[in-house]
C-alpha cells in the first residue's frame, strides 16, 4: 500500500474520508485494483466514462493524434482537424439554433463561459439559477450552484444571482427583463437525479423567451446519451439558447464545451475581442478522444438500449430497504433512507467487487451511473451484489 500512503501524504485531499483505492488499470465495465481484484463499475467516473474504460476507438484516436502532434496553439487561432470535426459533428447532431461550439477544459469552465456569454449578449447583469443545483467549483460555477453549505466559506461570490425552486411554476415570474440568463441542470444531479415535469420545462423556456433571457441548460451529466437521447433536453421538445456539456463528452479525458447560435456566440469575439480565452481548450488530443466518443455514441445504437437497461435496473432493484429510485436512463439514484446506511452499503458493495457512490447533496441516495456499454449480464451481477448487501443488514 505504498502508493496509497503517498496519496495521503502528497496529494491534496478533498475530504478526510477518501477511499484511496489503488488502481492498476481499467477496461470496459471494470476497474482493476493493485490488490489483483476486479471491480464492476456502476459509477463510470461519475458519468464521465460514457463508453466504459479505455474504449478501443477512443484510445486509438488518442494514439493517432499523439503520433501527429499535441498542442500547437491556444484556443481559437489555428484550424485543426479534430477540434473542427468535433464541433461540426456536434452541430450536425443537435437541433438549430445550436450551431457553434466553444471548447474548454472542464465542466465548470464551460459553465463560467456560458454565464459570461449570456451577460455579454444580453447586456444584462442578473442570473437566475436553481436551489439545490450543482454547476461546478470555480467561483463562477459555485456562485450559481444552489447549496449554501458548499458556498458559505467562499464568499464573496458573484453578485446578482437569484435562486428559484426546481419544477415550481410559481417561481417563474422571478425571471424578468433584467435576467441575462437562466441556468438549469436539465436533470438535477447532486440533488438526487431529479427529473423536471414536461410542462414545466416548456413553461420555463417560454418565460425566458418572453423576458428576453437566455436559457442555459447544463447537460454535463445527462449529455452524451446517458438518458437515451444525445442530450436530455430532447425529451422535453425545447432547445436551449446555450447548451453546456462536459464529463461524458470526453470518453475519459478532461473536457467541457458550450454551444449556441452563431449570432449569440459572436458576442465573445468582439467588444472586447477575446471575450473568453483558454490555452488548452480545443486541445487536439482531447478533441480526438471526444470526437471518437461522439461518433461512437451516435453510430453504435447504444442510446437505443438505454431505456431497456434502465428498466432492467428498476426491475431488479426492488427491496424493502429501497424507498424509491429517481432519475432517467442510466443516471439512477436509489434512496436507502439515510446517509450512514448508504455509505455503509457502498463500502460493502466495494468489498464484494462493485463500485457504487452516493449523490453529492443527498447522501442517502446511492448513485448508479454505469457506462452506456454495460451489458445486461453485468447489470444483473451488480444488482445482485446490492441486493445481497441489503439482505445482510
Ligand atoms: C451538472 C454538473 N455541472 C457542472 C459540473 C462541473 O464539471 P467539472 O467537474 O468538469 O468542472 C458537474 C460535475 O460534476 C456537474 O455534474
Amino acid at each position: 500500500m505504498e502508493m496509497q500512503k503517498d496519496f495521503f501524504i502528497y496529494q491534496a485531499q478533498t475530504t478526510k474520508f477518501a477511499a484511496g483505492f489503488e488502481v492498476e488499470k481499467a477496461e470496459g465495465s471494470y476497474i482493476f485494483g493493485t490488490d489483483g481484484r476486479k471491480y464492476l463499475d456502476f459509477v463510470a467516473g461519475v458519468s464521465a466514462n460514457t463508453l466504459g474504460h479505455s474504449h478501443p476507438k477512443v484510445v486509438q484516436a488518442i494514439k493517432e493524434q499523439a503520433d501527429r502532434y499535441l498542442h500547437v496553439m491556444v484556443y481559437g487561432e489555428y484550424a485543426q482537424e479534430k477540434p473542427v470535426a468535433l464541433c461540426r459533428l456536434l452541430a450536425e447532431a443537435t437541433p438549430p439554433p445550436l450551431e457553434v461550439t466553444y471548447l474548454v477544459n472542464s465542466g465548470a469552465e464551460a459553465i463560467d463561459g456560458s454565464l459570461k456569454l449570456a451577460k455579454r449578449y444580453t447586456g444584462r447583469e442578473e442570473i437566475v439559477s436553481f436551489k439545490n443545483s450543482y454547476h461546478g467549483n470555480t467561483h463562477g460555477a459555485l456562485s450559481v450552484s444552489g447549496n449554501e453549505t458548499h458556498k458559505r466559506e467562499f464568499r464573496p461570490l458573484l453578485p446578482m444571482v437569484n435562486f428559484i425552486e426546481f419544477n415550481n411554476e410559481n417561481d417563474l415570474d422571478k425571471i424578468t427583463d433584467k435576467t441575462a440568463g437562466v441556468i438549469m441542470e436539465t436533470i438535477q444531479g447532486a440533488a438526487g437525479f431529479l427529473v423536471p415535469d414536461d410542462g414545466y420545462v416548456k413553461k420555463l423556456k417560454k418565460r425566458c423567451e418572453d423576458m428576453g433571457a437566455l436559457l442555459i441548460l447544463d447537460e454535463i451529466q445527462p449529455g452524451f446519451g446517458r438518458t437515451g437521447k444525445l442530450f436530455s433536453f430532447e425529451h422535453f421538445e425545447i432547445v436551449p439558447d446555450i447548451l453546456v456539456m462536459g464529463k461524458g463528452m470526453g470518453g475519459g479525458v478532461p473536457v467541457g464545451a458550450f454551444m449556441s447560435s452563431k449570432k449569440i456566440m459572436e458576442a465573445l469575439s468582439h467588444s472586447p475581442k477575446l471575450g473568453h480565452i483558454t490555452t488548452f481548450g480545443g486541445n487536439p488530443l482531447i478533441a480526438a478522444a471526444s470526437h471518437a466518443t461522439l461518433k461512437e455514441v451516435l453510430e453504435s445504437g447504444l442510446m437505443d438500449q438505454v431505456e431497456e437497461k434502465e428498466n432492467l435496473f428498476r426491475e431488479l432493484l426492488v427491496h424493502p430497504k429501497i424507498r424509491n429510485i429517481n432519475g432517467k436512463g442510466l443516471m439512477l439514484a436509489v434512496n436507502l433512507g439515510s446517509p450512514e446506511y448508504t455509505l455503509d452499503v457502498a463500502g460493502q458493495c466495494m468489498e464484494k467487487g462493485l463500485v457504487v457512490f452516493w449523490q453529492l447533496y443527498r447522501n442517502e441516495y446511492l448513485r448508479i451511473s454505469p457506462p452506456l456499454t454495460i451489458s445486461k449480464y453485468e447489470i444483473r451481477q451488480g444488482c445482485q451484489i446490492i441486493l445481497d448487501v441489503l439482505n445482510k443488514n
Side-chain angles (χ1 to χ4, degrees), residues 54-301:
S54 304
H55 189 281
K57 289 189 181 165
V58 177
V59 171
Q60 183 63 23
I62 292 172
K63 284 183 175 162
E64 281 171 14
Q65 184 60 44
D67 281 341
R68 271 178 85 192
Y69 65 97
L70 296 174
H71 178 75
V72 289
M73 200 23 158
V74 295
Y75 179 80
E77 296 295 329
Y78 292 176
Q80 301 175 53
E81 183 190 338
K82 291 299 177 179
V84 171
L86 171 60
C87 295
R88 181 179 171 154
L89 194 52
L90 276 168
E92 288 167 356
T94 50
L98 300 171
E99 295 167 314
V100 289
T101 304
Y102 196 120
L103 300 168
V104 293
N105 304 281
S106 69
E109 188 194 353
I111 294 290
D112 277 22
S114 74
L115 298 173
K116 286 168 68 184
L117 179 59
K119 287 163 82 173
R120 170 68 188 85
Y121 179 75
T122 60
R124 301 176 183 176
E125 296 175 1
E126 182 192 286
I127 300 289
V128 169
S129 184
F130 287 80
K131 292 175 186 167
N132 298 316
S133 60
Y134 179 78
H135 296 290
N137 259 266
T138 55
H139 265 79
L142 196 59
S143 299
V144 295
S145 294
N147 181 298
E148 199 47 37
T149 312
H150 287 256
K151 289 162 67 162
R152 195 175 296 124
E153 303 304 324
F154 302 102
R155 292 191 186 282
L157 294 169
L158 273 184
M160 305 188 77
V161 182
N162 296 326
F163 290 89
I164 63 175
E165 218 168 274
F166 191 73
N167 234 355
N168 180 346
E169 289 180 15
N170 296 329
D171 260 8
L172 292 179
D173 59 10
K174 293 181 183 148
I175 300 164
T176 69
D177 58 7
K178 298 204 168 28
T179 311
V182 178
I183 182 161
M184 183 174 94
E185 291 167 89
T186 319
I187 296 174
Q188 276 201 334
F193 291 156
L194 301 183
V195 183
D197 299 335
D198 206 12
Y200 176 77
V201 180
K202 288 200 180 85
K203 285 190 179 132
L204 169 66
K205 168 76 181 165
K206 171 87 173 47
R207 179 73 185 173
C208 288
E209 270 170 12
D210 290 348
M211 291 298 123
L214 300 187
L215 177 61
I216 305 166
L217 287 184
D218 178 346
E219 291 260 357
I220 289 168
Q221 288 228 41
F224 274 67
R226 190 152 285 283
T227 68
K229 304 263 190 201
L230 187 58
F231 292 101
S232 68
F233 71 79
E234 294 168 58
H235 294 287
F236 302 101
E237 294 163 2
I238 57 119
V239 184
D241 299 294
I242 304 175
L243 170 66
V244 188
M245 63 198 87
K247 280 191 183 273
M249 174 185 187
V253 299
V255 70
F258 53 106
M259 278 189 95
S260 194
S261 67
K262 203 162 183 56
K263 182 170 170 232
I264 293 175
M265 196 68 91
E266 251 171 14
L268 287 181
S269 65
H270 65 91
S271 325
K273 65 179 180 184
L274 308 174
H276 188 78
I277 46 174
T278 156
T279 299
F280 285 119
N283 174 275
L285 201 67
I286 303 297
S290 193
H291 179 256
T293 302
L294 179 57
K295 210 162 168 293
E296 184 66 7
V297 167
L298 292 171
E299 292 172 0
S300 60

Side-chain angles (χ1 to χ4, degrees), residues 366-380:
L366 200 69
R367 160 189 274 272
I368 296 184
S369 56
L372 307 192
T373 45
I374 195 155
S375 69
K376 288 191 200 161
Y377 172 74
E378 290 162 344
I379 293 174
R380 286 182 195 284

